[in-house]
Amino acid sequence: MELASGYVALSRSAGFVTSSSSCHFPALVSSSFSGIFSHSSSSSSVRCRRNVVEILEQRGLVESIAGESLKKACDEKPIKVYCGFDPTAESLHLGNLLGIVVLEWFQRCGHETVALLGGATGRIGDPSGKSAERPVMDEATIEKNTQGIQALLTEILQQKAVVLNNYDWWKEFSLLEFLRDVGKFARVGTMVAKESVKRRLALEEGISFTEFTYQLLQGYDFVHLYKSNGVSVQIGGSDQWGNITAGIDLVRKLLQRDDAYGLTFPLLVKSDGTKFGKSEGGAVWLSSKFLSPYHFYQHLFATPDSDVIKMLRMLTFVELEEIEALEKSMSEPGYVANTAQRRLAEEVTRFVHGEDGLEEALKVTQALAPGSTTTLDWTAIEAISKDVPSCTLDSSIVVGPVVDLCVSCGLAPSKAVARRLIKQGGIYMNNAKVDDERLLVAESDIIDGKMLLLSAGKKNKMVVRIG
Ligand SMILES: Nc1ncnc2c1ncn2[C@@H]1O[C@H](COP(=O)(O)OP(=O)(O)OP(=O)(O)O)[C@@H](O)[C@H]1O
Ligand SMILES: N[C@@H](Cc1ccc(O)cc1)C(=O)O
């Protein structure tokens, strides 16, 4: 593992550090940080008085630490920590959520956080963890992606984090200034030895000068944030180690300060060992524009038993004792299947999509459960319509024989099939079984005059909107 010279990499595994409940930064408790050291009413959102690094270690959220005294520094006074996000897509995904969760832990322990948008670095492309050059993004895409990610970070972190964009300082930095003020302090030998560069140099394609310089851009961000915002800690996924230590080196050389630290967390992987990302397809997007809260909830609900406890530790703020009790109960008789998954899905959906998003996810889950008889209202159907096929029909077509409607909305290929399905008890309107093939759909069946839900069998659904 590469090290920023003079720094120690402390690899941790989850769960072996004993907890300390001593109160930190006592002088601040009663003033600007009042309220931080208390338990909130919900057991799932605990404001803690413990050392944030210890908490992260116990939850399996520490891969390596650069800087022996980080833990002590976190005890002494509130510090500022940052995590960067390059705008490589319009939304972040479940893997990126770890960085947000770690920032939130720092917040909850009384520290301050900065979420950095990589408006500049996104134009260069981080070679970390990549086996080929990143495609150059056009300005419009970078702008759209930056806005999408900014909105997401602000929403999830509820305006508690300061959100900055590194384009704001890079756009005014001339090449000459960069080479003289930053480049002069960077050693090519150290840069070439970074894992991200070594791996690419070993391949035929090699690495462009542009991506080779990426570590200096991220490194200088740390210098800038240290100088102008007092940020002394950078966090990131384990693949960010080289960039983070590059920043610590630059802080030492440019600012003659040795109190900059780094902390990396392990990459979140699926049960098959592949990482939650966006290249491998099926990204679990955090933005509801790309994945509805219902589908997001369902992804988490589908976590296998073998991973659910680890995910609860890493992705939620549920207390460890509660998670341990849940783990124990899973092997006991009487355990209701998926209790742990339900808790995971609820907690993470609430964190990402808020109470309203969770409510929507639960409503749709309930309404779409095979054979559900949930009474539907307009908001439930509206929520469902994001997740099941829908069509728009004139009310004159909707009102009339249900058999006709089954055909006109595309749920059944013919009236004969629709009749047979009704005889078999397989057609539902607004989750109520249709038991007479002669049934006429009335105006009153159209919920709020806007839509109705038809189902054929347990899984085939169609939202019919009135156009
Ligand atoms: N599964 C993950 N677990 C933890 N952190 C992750 C995960 N995936 C990405 N990250 C963090 O988010 C940063 C940005 O991710 P990056 O854009 O490099 O790749 P990605 O979004 O995972 O996409 P891809 O799937 O294309 O590799 C990474 O450097 C990494 O630190
Ligand atoms: N390199 C990080 C993003 C980042 C950008 C700038 C920074 O200063 C820090 C982090 C990534 O790929 O996700």
Side-chain angles (χ1 to χ4, degrees):
M1 178 177 284
E2 314 131 4
L3 288 183
S5 42
Y7 285 90
V8 184
L10 306 167
S11 279
R12 305 278 189 216
S13 58
F16 70 89
V17 181
T18 50
S19 71
S20 140
S21 58
S22 62
C23 184
H24 301 297
F25 347 123
L28 291 164
V29 171
S30 59
S31 57
S32 56
F33 283 81
S34 63
I36 279 168
F37 301 101
S38 61
H39 282 251
S40 79
S41 53
S42 151
S43 66
S44 59
S45 67
V46 175
R47 296 247 179 238
C48 57
R49 55 178 69 212
R50 293 188 14 234
N51 185 292
V52 64
V53 179
E54 277 185 11
I55 292 176
L56 296 175
E57 283 170 341
Q58 289 171 334
R59 304 190 76 100
L61 284 168
V62 178
E63 172 95 13
S64 305
I65 292 176
E68 264 177 294
S69 49
L70 172 61
K71 204 182 271 186
K72 193 160 157 264
C74 290
D75 267 348
E76 285 168 358
K77 61 177 183 3
I79 48 166
K80 291 189 186 170
V81 54
Y82 98 94
C83 184
F85 303 88
D86 275 352
T88 51
E90 206 181 328
S91 169
L92 297 173
H93 55 69
L94 197 65
N96 305 130
L97 188 61
L98 280 192
I100 304 179
V101 166
V102 173
L103 284 182
E104 174 74 20
W105 272 118
F106 272 91
Q107 282 279 2
R108 289 182 182 213
C109 291
H111 304 287
E112 289 178 46
T113 55
V114 173
L116 180 69
L117 298 161
T121 36
R123 284 166 160 84
I124 303 305
D126 188 351
S128 311
K130 291 272 173 279
S131 49
E133 288 278 317
R134 291 192 186 246
V136 173
M137 283 185 293
D138 60 55
E139 296 288 316
T141 308
I142 292 171
E143 188 47 34
K144 187 168 57 125
N145 292 352
T146 304
Q147 280 179 17
I149 293 177
Q150 175 162 12
L152 206 51
L153 288 168
T154 310
E155 207 176 299
I156 300 177
L157 290 166
Q158 299 183 347
Q159 275 125 21
K160 286 173 293 182
V162 173
V163 181
L164 299 173
N165 187 335
N166 60 14
Y167 190 64
D168 289 337
W169 51 90
W170 282 108
K171 67 174 187 250
E172 273 146 23
F173 215 150
S174 77
L175 179 65
L176 285 179
E177 276 176 305
F178 173 72
L179 292 175
R180 200 185 51 192
D181 298 344
V182 182
K184 206 67 182 151
F185 294 91
R187 309 307 302 165
V188 170
T190 311
M191 290 175 70
V192 171
K194 300 279 178 196
E195 202 50 51
S196 56
V197 177
K198 262 198 313 199
R199 184 162 357 135
R200 290 279 290 282
L201 286 177
L203 301 172
E204 202 183 329
E205 197 195 342
I207 185 168
S208 67
F209 177 71
T210 304
E211 289 201 0
F212 177 60
T213 62
Y214 187 96
Q215 52 182 287
L216 294 187
L217 296 205
Q218 185 163 336
Y220 181 76
D221 281 346
F222 203 172
V223 173
H224 177 89
L225 292 171
Y226 187 107
K227 235 181 0 184
S228 56
N229 297 70
V231 171
S232 61
V233 182
Q234 183 180 174
I235 60 156
S238 55
D239 59 345
Q240 294 298 305
W241 178 257
N243 295 336
I244 293 175
T245 50
I248 295 173
D249 270 343
L250 284 179
V251 169
R252 190 183 312 104
K253 288 176 180 159
L254 270 70
L255 306 178
Q256 285 82 49
R257 298 299 307 240
D258 60 3
D259 57 349
Y261 307 96
L263 182 150
T264 60
F265 41 83
L267 295 184
L268 191 69
V269 290
K270 298 178 210 159
S271 44
D272 63 1
T274 58
K275 76 166 191 171
F276 279 99
K278 59 183 177 298
S279 307
E280 307 212 15
V284 184
W285 297 115
L286 304 186
S287 163
S288 55
K289 187 169 166 192
F290 301 101
L291 191 70
S292 69
Y294 161 72
H295 275 127
F296 183 79
Y297 177 97
Q298 290 299 326
H299 267 287
L300 288 151
F301 195 84
T303 305
D305 276 354
S306 53
D307 289 344
V308 71
I309 295 299
K310 179 190 80 175
M311 299 271 276
L312 271 163
R313 264 198 228 108
M314 293 176 90
L315 287 174
T316 76
F317 302 90
V318 175
E319 295 213 61
L320 284 179
E321 296 76 48
E322 213 180 320
I323 297 176
E324 275 158 26
L326 201 50
E327 183 175 22
K328 196 161 158 270
S329 73
M330 285 174 78
S331 51
E332 282 167 0
Y335 172 74
V336 178
N338 295 325
T339 304
Q341 279 82 351
R342 184 165 291 111
R343 188 70 200 274
L344 173 73
E346 281 184 14
E347 291 294 331
V348 183
T349 307
R350 184 187 291 109
F351 183 58
V352 172
H353 293 289
E355 208 60 63
D356 289 352
L358 174 61
E359 208 178 293
E360 176 185 318
L362 291 176
K363 215 174 214 183
V364 178
T365 299
Q366 220 176 29
L368 292 186
S372 165
T373 52
T374 313
T375 314
L376 293 170
D377 59 16
W378 137 251
T379 52
I381 299 206
E382 183 61 40
I384 291 169
S385 66
K386 292 184 207 153
D387 295 291
V388 300
S390 65
C391 66
T392 305
L393 296 176
D394 196 85
S395 66
S396 60
I397 296 177
V398 174
V399 173
V402 71
V403 170
D404 291 4
L405 179 58
C406 286
V407 178
S408 41
C409 77
L411 205 61
S414 66
K415 289 187 193 180
V417 172
R419 277 193 206 97
R420 199 181 64 236
L421 282 169
I422 293 173
K423 272 202 194 105
Q424 291 166 350
I427 294 284
Y428 289 78
M429 183 167 66
N430 296 334
N431 276 356
K433 193 189 276 183
V434 175
D435 40 24
D436 185 350
E437 63 183 76
R438 290 161 305 172
L439 180 92
L440 297 176
V441 180
E443 292 274 2
S444 57
D445 293 318
I446 303 170
I447 296 172
D448 268 4
K450 291 179 179 158
M451 40 179 81
L452 58 77
L453 178 70
L454 270 188
S455 322
K458 292 198 166 174
K459 289 194 171 157
N460 262 340
K461 315 256 178 194
M462 178 68 74
V463 168
V464 181
R465 295 173 187 276
I466 309 304

